[in-house]
Amino acid sequence: MRLEQLLAGVAITASNADWNTEITGVCFDSRKVTPGCLFVAVVGYVSDGHQYIAMAVEKGAACVLCQNAPEGEIPYVQTADTRKGLALVSANWFDRPAEKMKIVGVTGTNGKTTTTNLIKTILEEKAGAKVGLLGTNNNMIGDLVLPTERTTPESYEIQELFARMYREGCTHIVMEVSSHALYLDRVYGIDYAVGVFTNLTQDHLDFHKTMENYGRAKAILFRNCAYGCINADDPYAGLMTENATCRVLTYGAESGNADFHASGIRLASDHVDFDGTYQGETKPVTIGIPGRFSVYNAMAAITACLCLGVSFADAVDAIGDCGGVMGRAEVVPTGREFTMLIDYAHTPDALENILSTVRATTDGRVVILFGCGGDRDRTKRPIMGKIAAELADFVIVTSDNPRTEQPDGIIQDILAGMEGTKTPYVVIENRKEAIGWAIDNARPGDVIILAGKGHETYQIIGTEKRHFDEREVIRAFLNS
């Protein structure tokens, strides 16, 4: 592809490059540079790509896209923001695949994974669509499962996935869109058919610093979509709506003027029933995932599909066929007189949700085993400790992904929130040993929740990612 074609849409401030140069690839990691490629010098939070321009040229880069012009005779194109530049160049390189499919973006603190999976199911069952999915658990092309490293990859990787999904026949893509991805322009230039807002609760304040900043990052999505589906019951609904440049549909159970309204909510141990009303029509809705939060996930998914042309009756019917998602209120069979659940709850709101759900549907003890991630928002740790002590009958405090922090320091932050409560607890730093202790000390009728890891099959200690699947750990202890 000629350099001029590759840079279509990029705001260029200066250049000394030959626009007819044939470019053989796009690269933003100097270690992966190949001869003839365009090297994009991205300014990161850990390192600055401009420091590696010379290395990229030595390895054969034909041109550099940069914010600061390099010294010497290096062919370059200068732009004000190389993150946005990378997003546009990547789309051009893969022939703008997003324009050939309908893209649905789901943002929010909690519920993104379940909501995207629900939308995928509805579209496949009722719209005859082949759906690609980008998410926390995995990426999917129809039924094909691909591994994933983070909620929203870098812009080049997103466009590469889009291109593959289009080649393999996808008509729609449903993707989780993190606040980092929006703020850091990983999804810049993507026009969404539908954007969905689930909720906003405390998380990622190590990066965004304030809830207001966090919310404004999420709100970017609604300046880049045709329809916005917004949870009217969330305190930040107004912020999302104010920032929206699209048509907005709301959903909610408490807000009486929501476009899609839930009433008569009935909670059971393995499902939720409610009456959903849209445009004057009321239908009974059932979703096979317990918890009041499932009402909102179901409503978000149905509302999004309404915007894509699925009828209200069809969307409601398809929701009834949807089961759970790995790591979200996932029941692990034990063959014993107690129940074990694995849930991704790693924020205060998510922890409160899963504890409240279990509390409402069990007569036995509610036991919570959890920790908090290292190198992340420290302020939520005592909050989660307080929630655990208030809503559980017994608390097991352990490690999550400590990363480069000392596990004991993280645990002490959690315990600070439990001060003054009478809930019994135990501290077992090693998570595997903690799970074993929970099983050994379980009583008939107990529900034991392993919170924080969810779908993850690893534990990050220091900078090393070690295999750690809680399902395997549970089975090993039960069979020992």
Side-chain angles (χ1 to χ4, degrees), residues 251-253 258-266 272-286 295 298-299 302-303 306 312-313 315-316 319:
Y251 62 92
D259 295 300
F260 179 23
H261 183 260
S263 60
I265 297 170
R266 300 170 293 281
V272 176
D273 296 313
F274 65 94
D275 299 316
T277 302
Y278 176 68
Q279 292 186 341
E281 183 179 9
T282 299
K283 289 188 173 297
V285 183
T286 297
V295 175
M299 295 185 79
I302 290 171
T303 308
L306 292 173
F312 182 42
V316 168
I319 278 287

Side-chain angles (χ1 to χ4, degrees), residues 35-47:
C37 77
L38 173 71
F39 175 66
V40 184
V42 175
V43 179
Y45 282 81
V46 177
S47 62

Side-chain angles (χ1 to χ4, degrees), residues 241-446:
T241 304
E242 291 163 12
N243 280 270
T245 57
C246 58
R247 180 181 173 185
V248 171
L249 269 71
T250 57
Y251 62 92
E254 298 169 8
S255 176
N257 60 354
D259 295 300
F260 179 23
H261 183 260
S263 60
I265 297 170
R266 300 170 293 281
L267 305 178
S269 61
D270 60 350
H271 70 279
V272 176
D273 296 313
F274 65 94
D275 299 316
T277 302
Y278 176 68
Q279 292 186 341
E281 183 179 9
T282 299
K283 289 188 173 297
V285 183
T286 297
I287 179 168
I289 307 173
R292 187 178 175 85
F293 56 87
S294 291
V295 175
Y296 288 92
N297 292 339
M299 295 185 79
I302 290 171
T303 308
C305 290
L306 292 173
C307 295
L308 293 168
V310 178
S311 71
F312 182 42
D314 280 349
V316 168
D317 182 60
I319 278 287
D321 297 331
C322 296
V325 176
M326 179 181 177
R328 272 63 179 179
E330 176 188 353
V331 178
V332 181
T334 65
R336 307 281 182 90
E337 293 184 88
F338 57 87
T339 301
M340 297 197 77
L341 295 179
I342 293 178
D343 194 83
Y344 190 47
H346 63 288
T347 66
D349 184 64
L351 193 66
E352 182 175 354
N353 281 338
I354 189 64
L355 282 165
S356 298
T357 294
V358 172
R359 169 62 67 204
T361 56
T362 184
D363 295 325
R365 292 191 311 167
V366 177
V367 179
I368 183 76
L369 179 153
F370 82 107
C372 288
D375 302 333
R376 297 295 187 269
D377 182 7
R378 291 187 60 174
T379 63
K380 70 181 182 182
R381 296 171 186 171
I383 299 172
M384 292 177 69
K386 186 172 188 291
I387 290 169
E390 289 178 344
L391 297 180
D393 297 302
F394 195 92
V395 180
I396 304 169
V397 184
T398 185
S399 280
D400 192 287
N401 292 321
R403 299 185 177 87
T404 62
E405 284 194 62
Q406 289 300 314
D408 181 63
I410 299 172
I411 288 170
Q412 292 305 315
D413 288 341
I414 294 170
L415 294 179
M418 297 174 64
E419 291 179 2
T421 65
K422 296 181 180 179
T423 304
Y425 70 89
V426 65
V427 173
I428 304 173
E429 183 181 304
N430 183 291
R431 194 173 182 99
K432 181 178 179 180
E433 293 176 5
I435 294 171
W437 191 94
I439 292 171
D440 289 342
N441 290 274
R443 301 175 186 173
D446 281 358

